[in-house]
Amino acid sequence: MAASNTFGTLFTLTSFGESHGPAIGGVVDGMPAGVLIDEQFLQAELDRRRPGTSELTTQRSEADRVRILSGVFEGVSTGAPIGFVIDNTSQRSADYENMRHVFRPGHADYTYYNKYGIRDHRGGGRSSARETAVRVAGGAFAKMALKTAGITVEAWASQIGTAVREGQGPLTDEMRRQILEARGQGDTLGGIVSCRIDGCPAGLGDPVYGKLSARLASAMLSINAAHGFDYGMGFAGAARRGSEVVDNWEPCAVDPRGIRAVANNSGGIQGGISNGEPIEFRVAFKPVATLLQDVATVDDNGEATVLHARGRHDPCVVPRAIPVVEAMAAMVVLDAWLLNRTSRIVP
């Protein structure tokens, strides 16, 4: 079976390219015709994820200029596949030469080598987070379509290392301090990205294996370094009683549904189907596997060795993962919205 490089059911994104190849890119299929395509917004989304923009991220400096090749005419989607490409312009492959025969602990080096019998040691090839630029572009197209339905997606860093914040907003000073401290020590940090989807109608998601929660979890756990997903009360609910977290309904004249949830412990999803409340979830990211310090490992002959990685690496993926989480969520919701239009005949 070929590698799975296509995401989605009706709205799909197929990505291609490697970290140190000439370019990366994608094909979006299933984009509804007639959607206004804002190329400035598309580029702005790529710029949010772009490397080399601050001292908190990798210093690989890529312009990440996206070029649309097809599927758009006079600023409007035509319904045909949208092809786009993003050139790689700042590779430094020599930085990875000492990794040619050495497996980075905790990285995809060993698993890719065992699956395919070959691996691209220059930045990890397809396992590189460079591929997420394509996801952000795909998500930008999805956001443009969702805008017509009044659906918005917003994510933010809620934890980096031991620094925790309540509510939405930019990185706190303590979050920035911990990232810079880890970078100075050749170390890395993990964290949590929280996300909220507003305006999502009730009814999205398909029982039993196509639950909206399951689709979101699958999408989020496909992101590099993502190691956990929960929604609503999440894991915290495991220590509570049902009477403490039940989502009571109450009449509400100002809500188009005529009701609303008193709380939102379900995170906007019940029975795997959206209930019309804001969808809220969190994604946990592990510390980056590539450490800029001595690490014990083995080479491709199984011999013990010590690796001291070189190159430009993120000390924490969370700041640049925020637009990736948004993009994946937008594509999931648009796909579910399109699928829901096939679920019943409405006179």
Side-chain angles (χ1 to χ4, degrees):
M1 179 177 177
S4 179
N5 297 298
T6 298
F7 175 80
T9 304
L10 294 184
F11 180 90
T12 65
L13 171 68
T14 301
S15 72
F16 64 84
E18 291 81 36
S19 176
H20 284 240
I24 55 177
V27 176
V28 167
D29 207 354
M31 180 73 167
V35 176
L36 293 176
I37 302 301
D38 185 342
E39 294 195 36
Q40 289 186 331
F41 172 74
L42 172 63
Q43 188 59 56
E45 291 291 274
L46 267 293
D47 290 344
R48 293 174 62 202
R49 193 221 68 100
R50 187 165 65 87
T53 57
S54 82
E55 59 185 348
L56 303 178
T57 69
T58 171
Q59 295 308 292
R60 176 172 174 168
S61 181
E62 292 282 0
D64 277 359
R65 304 302 300 180
V66 59
R67 291 184 287 128
I68 298 176
L69 306 177
S70 63
V72 178
F73 179 65
E74 295 184 341
V76 177
S77 61
T78 65
I82 299 175
F84 62 91
V85 68
I86 304 166
D87 292 325
N88 291 330
T89 61
S90 183
Q91 310 97 313
R92 286 196 338 211
S93 300
D95 287 346
Y96 295 86
E97 191 57 33
N98 68 329
M99 303 181 195
R100 179 182 289 272
H101 298 290
V102 178
F103 300 125
R104 283 173 285 180
H107 199 277
D109 291 346
Y110 176 76
T111 52
Y112 265 56
Y113 182 75
N114 274 268
K115 182 174 181 63
Y116 299 108
I118 186 173
R119 70 180 177 96
D120 185 345
H121 66 282
R122 305 166 306 164
R126 284 291 283 172
S127 70
S128 169
R130 179 84 184 119
E131 183 267 346
T132 60
V134 179
R135 302 178 188 222
V136 171
F141 288 114
K143 285 182 177 181
M144 294 177 207
L146 289 175
K147 183 179 180 179
T148 66
I151 300 172
T152 60
V153 182
E154 185 172 5
W156 63 94
S158 52
Q159 181 173 343
I160 290 179
T162 59
V164 179
R165 70 166 302 124
E166 296 293 335
Q168 299 167 236
L171 299 187
T172 66
D173 290 342
E174 179 59 17
M175 289 175 171
R176 299 173 64 89
R177 187 194 69 77
Q178 290 196 27
I179 292 174
L180 292 175
E181 181 181 81
R183 158 163 269 168
Q185 298 171 349
D187 213 334
T188 60
L189 285 174
I192 296 174
V193 174
S194 294
C195 187
R196 178 182 170 112
I197 304 169
D198 284 301
C200 187
L204 303 192
D206 301 286
V208 289
Y209 299 116
K211 293 179 178 179
L212 186 59
S213 47
R215 291 177 183 270
L216 284 169
S218 177
M220 298 307 145
L221 292 175
S222 75
I223 302 172
N224 308 65
H227 268 229
F229 171 89
D230 74 352
Y231 68 100
M233 73 185 95
F235 287 101
R240 309 289 291 276
R241 294 191 176 192
S243 57
E244 296 177 287
V245 299
V246 64
D247 269 335
N248 300 97
W249 292 104
E250 66 179 8
C252 180
V254 298
D255 194 298
R257 298 169 298 170
I259 63 172
R260 69 179 179 186
V262 178
N264 190 25
N265 292 316
S266 298
I269 302 173
Q270 294 171 330
I273 300 173
S274 62
N275 66 6
E277 297 293 317
I279 295 172
E280 299 173 331
F281 65 86
R282 291 155 298 279
V283 188
F285 289 89
K286 71 169 186 174
V288 177
T290 304
L291 305 180
L292 300 183
Q293 55 184 247
D294 289 347
V295 179
T297 186
V298 297
D299 60 24
D300 51 19
N301 288 318
E303 299 294 328
T305 187
V306 173
L307 171 67
H308 192 117
R310 299 192 296 266
R312 301 161 295 177
H313 304 278
D314 284 290
C316 178
V317 301
V318 170
R320 294 175 62 215
I322 292 170
V324 182
V325 168
E326 288 185 6
M328 297 305 292
M331 288 191 284
V332 167
V333 172
L334 178 58
D335 199 28
W337 187 84
L338 293 170
L339 284 165
N340 201 48
R341 295 169 70 87
T342 71
S343 63
R344 62 174 174 170
I345 296 175
V346 179

